[in-house]
């Protein structure tokens, strides 16, 4: 199996950008794929475009507007309030049914056309937050299904699967891209790049992890 090339599912957010730089160091050739599914903030795609352009990475944006129509949620609908915490039952309204499965499946079709076997995604079971398609068991199951579906050996790599938000910053630092991740990625639900609005749940979670990591780093000096 050729391991020198990889397709990265890339949103321009903290996790997938860290994955992108990880892949860039690990593979000879990396192609980033983003999906347009009617995200509340077109900024997310602009951010993804800016990063890939700046660092010279081939980038494709696939039209998935149908997903936004079929499964409206608080990330695609301006009139829906974003859930601040995971509900006691069911999935938070930031969850888009089928999203990771659909994205990875399209990424796999794309990869096979290019004779690429490796798919990289930034999903993490550690910050599961009620998203069933971020779990390791799902990724393994999909890996098997994709391989069977296309009679082609895929390997889905998930470098963030077992690390939490603090360790994600540590990982970026080890890759030498801490400042890039901090200043050039978008996590904020209000569409503000870098440190964000500071007020939405995504910003709070991101800052908490960053502060923890920096504190620990300072303490170990
Ligand atoms: Zn925010």
């Amino acid at each position: 199996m050729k391991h020198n090339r990889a397709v990265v599912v890339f949103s321009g957010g903290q996790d997938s950008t860290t994955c992108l730089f990880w892949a860039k160091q690990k593979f000879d050739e990396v192609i980033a794929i983003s999906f347009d599914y009617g995200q509340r903030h077109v900024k997310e795609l602009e951010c993804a475009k800016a990063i890939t352009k700046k660092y010279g990475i081939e980038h494709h944006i696939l039209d998935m507007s149908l997903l936004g129509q079929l499964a409206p949620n608080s990330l695609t609908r301006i009139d829906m309030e974003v859930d601040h915490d995971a509900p006691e039952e069911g999935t938070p309204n930031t969850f888009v049914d089928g999203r990771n499965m659909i994205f990875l499946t399209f990424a796999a079709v794309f990869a096979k056309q290019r004779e690429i076997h490796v798919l990289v995604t930034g999903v993490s079971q550690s910050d599961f937050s009620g998203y069933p398609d971020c779990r390791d068991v799902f990724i393994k199951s999909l890996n098997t299904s994709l391989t069977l579906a296309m009679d082609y050996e895929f390997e889905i790599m998930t470098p963030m699967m077992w690390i939490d938000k603090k360790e994600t910053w540590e990982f970026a630092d080890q890759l030498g891209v801490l400042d890039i991740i901090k200043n050039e990625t978008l996590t904020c639900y209000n569409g503000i790049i870098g440190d964000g609005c500071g007020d939405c749940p995504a910003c709070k979670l991101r800052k908490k992890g960053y502060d923890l990591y920096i504190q620990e780093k300072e303490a170990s000096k």
Side-chain angles (χ1 to χ4, degrees):
M1 194 195 291
K2 276 191 199 166
H3 272 288
N4 58 336
R5 295 188 297 155
V7 169
V8 178
V9 176
F10 179 57
S11 71
Q14 180 187 356
D15 295 348
S16 71
T17 307
T18 306
C19 276
L20 186 68
F21 283 102
W22 172 83
K24 204 168 173 278
Q25 292 180 15
K26 193 176 170 67
F27 299 93
D28 297 333
E29 190 190 337
V30 168
I31 302 172
I33 294 197
S34 304
F35 299 93
D36 182 355
Y37 61 100
Q39 295 91 317
R40 215 188 245 235
H41 296 287
V42 191
K43 270 250 169 77
E44 207 174 285
L45 289 172
E46 284 172 14
C47 183
K49 265 192 238 173
I51 291 170
T52 48
K53 193 174 171 214
K54 187 168 172 187
Y55 301 99
I57 296 159
E58 184 180 336
H59 184 216
H60 298 265
I61 298 175
L62 304 190
D63 178 11
M64 292 283 150
S65 48
L66 188 61
L67 182 61
Q69 289 168 35
L70 281 174
N73 75 98
S74 69
L75 296 184
T76 55
R77 290 255 307 264
I78 294 167
D79 57 336
M80 269 166 83
E81 183 81 12
V82 171
D83 270 349
H84 281 229
D85 300 297
E88 286 191 8
E89 271 179 52
T91 52
N93 72 2
T94 49
F95 177 66
V96 183
D97 276 325
R99 181 170 57 180
N100 280 337
M101 185 176 79
I102 291 165
F103 287 3
L104 281 163
T105 302
F106 276 82
V109 173
F110 177 94
K112 191 184 173 188
Q113 294 301 316
R114 298 286 192 100
E115 297 181 6
I116 296 172
H117 294 270
V118 176
L119 308 172
V120 179
T121 171
V123 297
S124 169
Q125 180 157 333
S126 306
D127 58 19
F128 167 52
S129 317
Y131 290 18
D133 58 356
C134 287
R135 290 177 294 182
D136 191 53
V137 64
F138 162 69
I139 296 295
K140 288 201 166 79
S141 149
L142 183 64
N143 199 146
T144 303
S145 293
L146 290 173
T147 296
L148 289 172
M150 293 178 232
D151 194 20
Y152 183 82
E153 196 76 19
F154 286 106
E155 184 183 352
I156 305 179
M157 300 183 83
T158 53
M160 326 291 269
M161 184 56 81
W162 305 110
I163 63 177
D164 62 20
K165 283 289 170 200
K166 184 199 81 186
E167 292 162 325
T168 304
W169 287 108
E170 187 178 357
F171 189 41
D173 203 8
Q174 283 162 359
L175 292 167
V177 296
L178 186 74
D179 288 342
I180 297 174
I181 302 299
K182 186 173 188 296
N183 301 322
E184 298 176 34
T185 65
L186 175 71
T187 309
C188 175
Y189 288 148
N190 290 311
I192 300 166
I193 290 173
D195 288 337
C197 71
D199 204 39
C200 74
C203 279
K204 283 181 178 157
L205 198 66
R206 173 169 159 141
K207 188 177 186 306
K208 195 175 152 202
Y210 182 79
D211 289 348
L212 266 173
Y213 173 59
I214 295 298
Q215 274 169 24
E216 218 179 76
K217 195 183 169 186
E218 292 299 319
S220 69
K221 267 183 186 168

